[in-house]
Each structure stands twice: as C-alpha cells, then as structure tokens.
Amino acid sequence: MQQIRSGQSFLYRTNGYDSTVVEVRMRDKVTGSYLQVALTDTARRFPYLTQKMVEKDGAYYLHRDDNSMVVNKTDKFRTLGSMATGYHLLDVTYTGSCIRVAFHHGLCDGRGVMPFIETLLYGYCCLKYRKKFSAEGIRQPGEPIPAEETAEPFSRDFYAVDASAVPEVEKDGYALPESTSTPDACYHTEFLLDEAAFVRAAKEVGATPTLFAAMLLSRCVLDENPQADKPIICNLAMDLRSAIGMEQTHRNCVGSAALPYTAADQDVPAEKLAQKYRELLASQRDPNTIKTGLNKQIALFNKLDELHSLEEKRKLMSFFNGMVNNTYVISYMGRLRLNDYAQYVDSAHFYSDTICGLTINMIAAAGKLSLEVLQGFHETKYVEIFAKALDPYGLLWTTATERVVTGKDKSFVTASHQAERYYVKPETV
C-alpha cells in the first residue's frame, strides 16, 4: 500500500477524471483470445499498472488488485475504477481492428504507459502471426522489475536548487475567444501524416517535429486572431525524467514549456524561429529550472498531506477544475517501438475527453504521425486552417470533427469503499 504523490492533481477533481486513451489500429481484425493471453502476460510484467485506488482520510493509495485484467470487445470505453474493470485504473478493449488502452493519469502518464502498450502489442503479434518477433527494447514477462520503474519524483523532500538562476519566460498567453472553463463536450479531429516527410520538413529548418507543429499552429492561431493583445503561447508538454535522474519511472513526471509567438515572429525566417524555440526549450529543460518547478508541486502536495478530509483537499485543488492553458497545448507521447512487426500496425492515436480550450496530442507508429486536435468547442476554423498548413508536409488524411467521450473514472467513489476492506498504514514515499 503506497500513497500516491505524483498524479495527485488528477485525483481531487469534481465527479472524477477523464480517461486518456491510446488507440492502436491494426491492419487485420483483432483476435480477442490472443489479446487476452497477451494482456495476462503483460500484466505480470507491469504489476504496478494493475493496481486499484484506495482512499482513507482524504489520501489516495495504490493497492494490489486481485481481480484479473480482462479484455472486452466493445466500441465503448469502460469506466476505470469501477466493477466493470475490476477496479483497475487501466483497461484494454478492442473492436474491429482497433486495440484501445485507457488509463487514469493518477496512475501514470503517457511515457509511463508506453512500455506496457509495447509489451502488449509484441505479445499479441507473436500469437496472432505465429512468429517470434524481435523483442529488442521490449520489456518481457518474467524478467526482474527494476526499482527505478516505480521511483517517486515527488517525495516530501525538496530538490536543491538556485531559484535566482531560473530564467524568466513569457507564460501569459492570449486566451482563445472560443475557450471556456466549462465545456459541454470535447470535439476531436484526426490528422495523419507521413512521419518521414514531416520529420524531414522539420529538420530542414532545424526543428523537432513538436517544435515544427508549434510553429505552424501558432501562426494559424494568430492569423485567425490578429487582434490578440498577448502572445500566442504553445504550452509544450515536457518530460522531466532525465533532469532528475529517473528515466525509467512510470509515475507522472511531466511539466510544461512555454513557446510564445507574436506578430513580430510572422516575418522571422523559419530557421531563426526554430533556433529561438530550441533555445527557449533548452533553458526551460535546465535541471535547476525543472527542479524549481517540481519543488512548487512538492510544496502543494505537502500542504495536501496536512489536510485530513476529501472535502478540504478538493477545495484546495479546485483550481484544477476547468483550468484553461492559454493559448493551446501540444503533447507528444513519442514513437511506439514495433520492431519487425510494424507491418501489422496501421497507426496509433492518443486522445482524451473534456478539454478546456485547444490541445494537440501527437504519437508516432509504423511510419505515421498522428496529430489529434481536441477542442472544448465545436468551432472548426482552427482545424481547417491547420489542415492547410500541414498539407505540404506529408498530410495523408483528415477526419471530420466529431464529439469524443472517453468517460470519467469512478475511483473517487469506489476508492473510499475499498478502504473499508483494507487497513491503510499512513506511509508515503
């Protein structure tokens, strides 16, 4: 039984938190029996991702879940933390040629769940196609589980930092007129690109794929909002693991880098803008800067530990409800490792529900790069202008803008019921 420290910002939301989904589209119809065997084997390798949530005196803990993980053939998403998933915070379903892995951000982040998905796909493809594929870089059932995989980035102790050396970065971004802290739905549009073509275009101007996407989208947003009285800011999700020496941890370890864009940047050559963004990103990735930001979160979590009821903690964390990151967010999950069975995978997609504002989720697989546009509003002008901007750089196809519902978890209800079955020793990492 271990108290959750990282991921606490996702635990005290009103009526639960929305599932995040990684959808892998295979080239052939999914065989449920093979997927079940692969899931059972994968769960043995990642026991820390098969736990359930227990709440006691307002604190959330992870506890072993003795319920087996069971795949289900459905085009709906099952409710995480409920009886439907055996109280698990991660669930695997399939329909047609799609395999979907839904997870709770209180359990892990995208980088943390990626090895699980890679092991699952490896095991499934070996069974489905009756071949022993290359397991290079794939974590295997039966191998020792390093302690580093469950290291906690947010212990009670603060990191040693020099707060005076933290660079000032413009973070006060322009608020999109369409954004709202109380969206009635989430709307989803898919862009699928030829990864090699997009990477090549990015390299030609000295940018990474995420920086290149930010350069294109920021220009699009400013073109649609020439009256903007503040910079267009891309809040770029940033993996913090390397800065604190915890490369293997599955726990939430994500921050945000701010990349401002103004009217003055519209006349700047792409190469110079890319260089500016690389320098801004490097300064915000500096270990001292990252640890300073982590200390702020540790202070918040320590304050949470001083409170002893769910009501008090939810009140303290209520500012997360309906939080809008001005101007927009880009989150790149990375590239799925597929080795010599990539031929059986068509593409991967990464999305969630209840987005306040505008978010772009990115993931690469089998030579394709997907950009999932998630909006808390139905207006499609940003989608349309972004599609035109992407078209010269390997855009393969675009879907219609449709509502997406991944569903909220039930752990905020069931976790307290689970506490009645277990004695919770108040220990934290």
Side-chain angles (χ1 to χ4, degrees):
M1 187 84 74
Q2 189 176 65
Q3 185 180 349
I4 299 175
R5 289 281 292 182
S6 59
Q8 285 196 91
S9 57
F10 304 100
L11 300 180
Y12 298 96
R13 305 298 180 89
T14 302
N15 299 321
Y17 192 73
D18 300 279
S19 302
T20 301
V21 175
V22 178
E23 179 176 307
V24 181
R25 296 176 189 166
M26 309 299 291
R27 293 193 177 276
D28 300 317
K29 187 176 180 180
V30 175
T31 303
S33 58
Y34 294 147
L35 184 61
Q36 179 61 63
V37 174
L39 175 60
T40 300
D41 288 342
T42 302
R44 289 194 295 111
R45 176 56 183 81
F46 298 90
Y48 49 80
L49 293 179
T50 68
Q51 296 173 308
K52 61 183 171 184
M53 206 177 290
V54 176
E55 180 267 322
K56 181 76 170 178
D57 297 329
Y60 284 101
Y61 301 79
L62 290 173
H63 188 280
R64 185 187 72 251
D65 190 339
D66 293 327
N67 293 305
S68 299
M69 298 194 76
V70 180
V71 301
N72 190 257
K73 183 179 181 181
T74 176
D75 58 358
K76 306 294 183 184
F77 295 108
R78 298 190 291 184
T79 304
L80 298 180
S82 71
M83 289 182 65
T85 62
Y87 304 106
H88 292 291
L89 303 174
L90 184 152
D91 189 41
V92 179
T93 58
Y94 71 100
T95 179
S97 60
C98 296
I99 298 173
R100 292 168 169 167
V101 178
F103 66 95
H104 191 301
H105 253 296
L107 177 68
C108 63
D109 59 14
R111 167 84 181 272
V113 80
M114 185 79 92
F116 178 97
I117 297 171
E118 292 172 340
T119 300
L120 179 70
L121 291 175
Y122 169 80
Y124 172 75
C125 286
C126 287
L127 292 166
K128 171 78 173 181
Y129 300 104
R130 303 187 180 190
K131 182 179 178 181
K132 190 70 173 178
F133 294 104
S134 169
E136 182 181 358
I138 306 296
R139 299 177 190 178
Q140 294 292 296
E143 68 182 14
I145 302 174
E148 289 79 9
E149 290 185 22
T150 56
E152 175 55 73
F154 297 95
S155 67
R156 280 199 174 93
D157 298 327
F158 293 97
Y159 292 99
V161 299
D162 179 3
S164 65
V166 176
E168 292 188 10
V169 179
E170 179 63 72
K171 295 184 177 181
D172 186 15
Y174 174 71
L176 295 177
E178 300 83 4
S179 292
T180 173
S181 61
T182 56
D184 60 350
C186 179
Y187 297 94
H188 176 214
T189 314
E190 293 180 5
F191 293 116
L192 198 63
L193 294 90
D194 180 295
E195 185 186 14
F198 193 73
V199 169
R200 184 166 55 251
K203 285 184 176 180
E204 286 177 356
V205 298
T208 64
T210 48
L211 291 183
F212 194 53
M215 292 163 60
L216 294 175
L217 184 56
S218 288
R219 176 180 285 274
C220 291
V221 172
L222 187 56
D223 285 345
E224 287 295 319
N225 297 277
Q227 78 287 353
D229 55 351
K230 294 180 180 180
I232 305 300
I233 290 188
C234 167
N235 295 279
L236 184 66
M238 182 171 55
D239 188 348
L240 310 181
R241 288 170 171 81
S242 61
I244 55 176
M246 294 187 181
E247 282 285 2
Q248 297 302 313
T249 183
H250 76 283
R251 301 187 184 276
N252 275 278
C253 197
V254 177
S256 179
L259 303 175
Y261 185 91
T262 66
D265 293 313
Q266 290 184 306
D267 298 323
V268 174
E271 292 82 0
K272 288 190 175 297
L273 182 59
Q275 180 181 356
K276 171 186 171 181
Y277 278 0
R278 287 199 312 273
E279 292 171 355
L280 275 171
L281 190 55
S283 68
Q284 293 173 81
R285 278 180 169 166
D286 176 76
N288 182 71
T289 300
I290 287 175
K291 291 175 182 177
T292 300
L294 288 173
N295 281 348
K296 293 179 181 178
Q297 294 186 64
I298 290 172
L300 174 62
F301 295 161
N302 288 349
K303 179 65 177 176
L304 271 177
D305 288 342
E306 296 173 5
L307 305 177
H308 300 292
S309 73
L310 272 177
E311 292 72 19
E312 291 177 300
K313 293 188 178 187
R314 283 174 178 163
K315 183 177 180 180
L316 177 64
M317 303 293 278
S318 62
F319 67 92
F320 280 111
N321 292 321
M323 177 180 284
V324 180
N325 290 299
N326 296 330
T327 307
Y328 68 91
V329 175
I330 287 184
S331 179
Y332 179 48
M333 191 170 178
R335 180 186 294 112
L336 275 174
R337 182 187 294 270
L338 297 172
N339 296 341
D340 51 347
Y341 47 97
Q343 60 185 306
Y344 302 109
V345 176
D346 179 74
S347 59
H349 305 264
F350 164 40
Y351 53 88
S352 55
D353 192 356
T354 312
I355 295 295
C356 297
L358 176 64
T359 291
I360 309 293
N361 283 351
M362 301 171 59
I363 186 171
K368 296 175 182 175
L369 177 66
S370 73
L371 282 72
E372 316 291 315
V373 182
L374 301 166
Q375 305 175 154
F377 49 88
H378 192 261
E379 172 63 60
T380 60
K381 64 181 182 181
Y382 299 114
V383 167
E384 293 166 2
I385 192 171
F386 194 37
K388 292 179 181 177
L390 290 172
D391 191 54
Y393 305 112
L395 181 62
L396 299 175
W397 55 272
T398 305
T399 66
T401 300
E402 296 180 344
R403 182 175 180 179
V404 62
V405 179
T406 61
K408 294 183 183 296
D409 78 292
K410 283 294 181 183
S411 297
F412 75 102
V413 173
T414 60
S416 58
H417 298 163
Q418 295 296 322
E420 299 170 2
R421 302 176 57 192
Y422 303 102
Y423 168 72
V424 179
K425 188 177 180 181
E427 292 183 352
T428 59
V429 176

